Amino acid sequence: MGSVHTFENADFLVRSELNGSTFAVNRAKLENGSHVFRDMFSCCDASAEGAPQVLDLHEPDSALSALLRLLHFPPAPPVQYVRHPRSEKVKTQLPVRYDVSTAIPLPVLRLLFALADKYALDSAVLASLQVHLVAHAPEHALAVYALALALGDMPVVVAEASQYILPLAWYSVQEVAAVPTVVDHHNILRLQAFRVKALQDILLREELFPHGYGMCPTHGTSATASWERTALILAMKIESNTDVAGEMESLVYIFQSCSACCKAFNAAVDMLAYKCRRVPRRIDQLPDCLDI
């Protein structure tokens, strides 16, 4: 004999054919959240008067519990991190970040999306699940990207995940193989190649003393040489996820003894950071990207 689980305002029974567990549910919640349940109830004759209404489903109790809980208690969105006020003043395409501890775990999301497809869940429920999937993108970018593509019709999730994907050579064969098609794989390569070229161009064109402005009469020549030499070395090592300004900032010790050079150096690094933040981060920001 399976166990019995009761939801609030229950007026109907759903039973697992595989485990025998029974769930006392609210029929309206099932109808409102699932096109499949809606069709089932509209086609089935009412049972005999006074007898309990039971719907048997060929699902294990764990999957059935997850599905019914989702329909009774649609999840609240994960908590967003508060963006620094300074970033609101400068349009830098900074991504929204979430507290992943408040998001539905990724393995559970995989199950919920499979059930959502099988039972044709309402678009509002799907939209909520997609936000939870996006919350995992910073830590599991390629997995989220591949899952969103496999599920289909999730362009926002695909785009959001694409900005966190590391250089593909850093992943295992199994991780890369999860990307559904050659085109999907190629789109990531295009994005990353575009970013590398753009970051290199910005770095090599950024001057320590633009047009000689603020140049220190004592150390200006040597400071410029150090900046340009470091920029040239770094440009050859840039990858799509390189923090260019952060790497150049390591030169700060050279300029600390001179206030004029230090001021110019900090201004150059800040400008470098600003320009690099404006480089497209996501697939949907690429020029003429029509095959996503």
Side-chain angles (χ1 to χ4, degrees), residues 11-57:
D11 57 7
F12 192 81
L13 296 178
V14 175
R15 184 167 54 209
S16 168
E17 290 182 342
L18 299 180
N19 304 99
S21 296
T22 300
F23 298 83
V25 301
N26 181 268
R27 175 169 168 165
K29 294 283 188 182
L30 273 59
E31 289 181 303
N32 292 337
S34 164
H35 295 282
V36 170
F37 283 129
R38 201 173 305 151
D39 292 342
M40 282 183 181
F41 293 138
S42 64
C43 295
C44 295
D45 294 328
S47 58
E49 185 177 351
Q53 299 185 68
V54 181
L55 175 64
D56 288 313
L57 294 177

Side-chain angles (χ1 to χ4, degrees), residues 71-113:
L71 291 172
H72 282 80
F73 308 106
V79 175
Q80 287 189 26
Y81 285 119
V82 178
R83 183 174 290 183
H84 193 280
R86 182 176 179 274
S87 67
E88 298 293 341
K89 300 177 183 178
V90 182
K91 296 181 179 179
T92 55
Q93 303 178 356
L94 293 177
V96 174
R97 296 292 293 268
Y98 298 92
D99 180 355
V100 73
S101 69
T102 66
I104 299 171
L106 190 54
V108 177
L109 279 173
R110 292 181 186 275
L111 170 63
L112 292 178
F113 275 115

Side-chain angles (χ1 to χ4, degrees), residues 23-189:
F23 298 83
V25 301
N26 181 268
R27 175 169 168 165
K29 294 283 188 182
L30 273 59
E31 289 181 303
N32 292 337
S34 164
H35 295 282
V36 170
F37 283 129
R38 201 173 305 151
D39 292 342
M40 282 183 181
F41 293 138
S42 64
C43 295
C44 295
D45 294 328
S47 58
E49 185 177 351
Q53 299 185 68
V54 181
L55 175 64
D56 288 313
L57 294 177
H58 194 74
E59 300 284 358
D61 55 3
S62 57
L64 204 49
S65 176
L67 172 64
L68 297 175
R69 182 170 295 278
L70 178 63
L71 291 172
H72 282 80
F73 308 106
V79 175
Q80 287 189 26
Y81 285 119
V82 178
R83 183 174 290 183
H84 193 280
R86 182 176 179 274
S87 67
E88 298 293 341
K89 300 177 183 178
V90 182
K91 296 181 179 179
T92 55
Q93 303 178 356
L94 293 177
V96 174
R97 296 292 293 268
Y98 298 92
D99 180 355
V100 73
S101 69
T102 66
I104 299 171
L106 190 54
V108 177
L109 279 173
R110 292 181 186 275
L111 170 63
L112 292 178
F113 275 115
L115 292 169
D117 179 64
K118 185 175 182 178
Y119 290 93
L121 297 194
D122 186 75
S123 58
V125 178
L126 287 173
S128 175
L129 293 179
Q130 288 184 30
V131 177
H132 283 263
L133 185 57
V134 167
H136 291 281
E139 295 183 19
H140 304 283
L142 190 60
V144 171
Y145 176 76
L147 178 58
L149 287 166
L151 293 169
D153 196 26
M154 292 189 184
V156 173
V157 180
V158 170
E160 288 292 327
S162 67
Q163 67 190 306
Y164 299 107
I165 296 176
L166 302 174
L168 289 179
W170 296 19
Y171 293 96
S172 68
V173 172
Q174 292 77 12
E175 289 173 310
V176 175
V179 177
T181 71
V182 172
V183 173
D184 300 323
H185 183 275
H186 181 62
N187 282 333
I188 291 299
L189 291 177

Side-chain angles (χ1 to χ4, degrees), residues 163 190-201 238-242 276-282 286:
Q163 67 190 306
R190 289 179 57 219
L191 172 63
Q192 295 185 344
F194 183 94
R195 281 187 55 78
V196 168
K197 179 64 166 58
L199 293 174
Q200 287 174 333
D201 288 347
I238 284 178
E239 296 194 86
S240 59
N241 63 332
T242 299
C276 290
R277 285 198 298 268
R278 294 179 63 85
V279 174
R281 302 172 57 91
R282 307 189 316 242
L286 279 178

Side-chain angles (χ1 to χ4, degrees), residues 206-217 220 223-224 260-265 267-268:
E206 193 64 34
E207 298 180 71
L208 182 61
F209 304 106
H211 308 292
Y213 177 78
M215 178 175 283
C216 170
T224 299
C261 289
C262 191
K263 181 179 179 180
F265 172 78

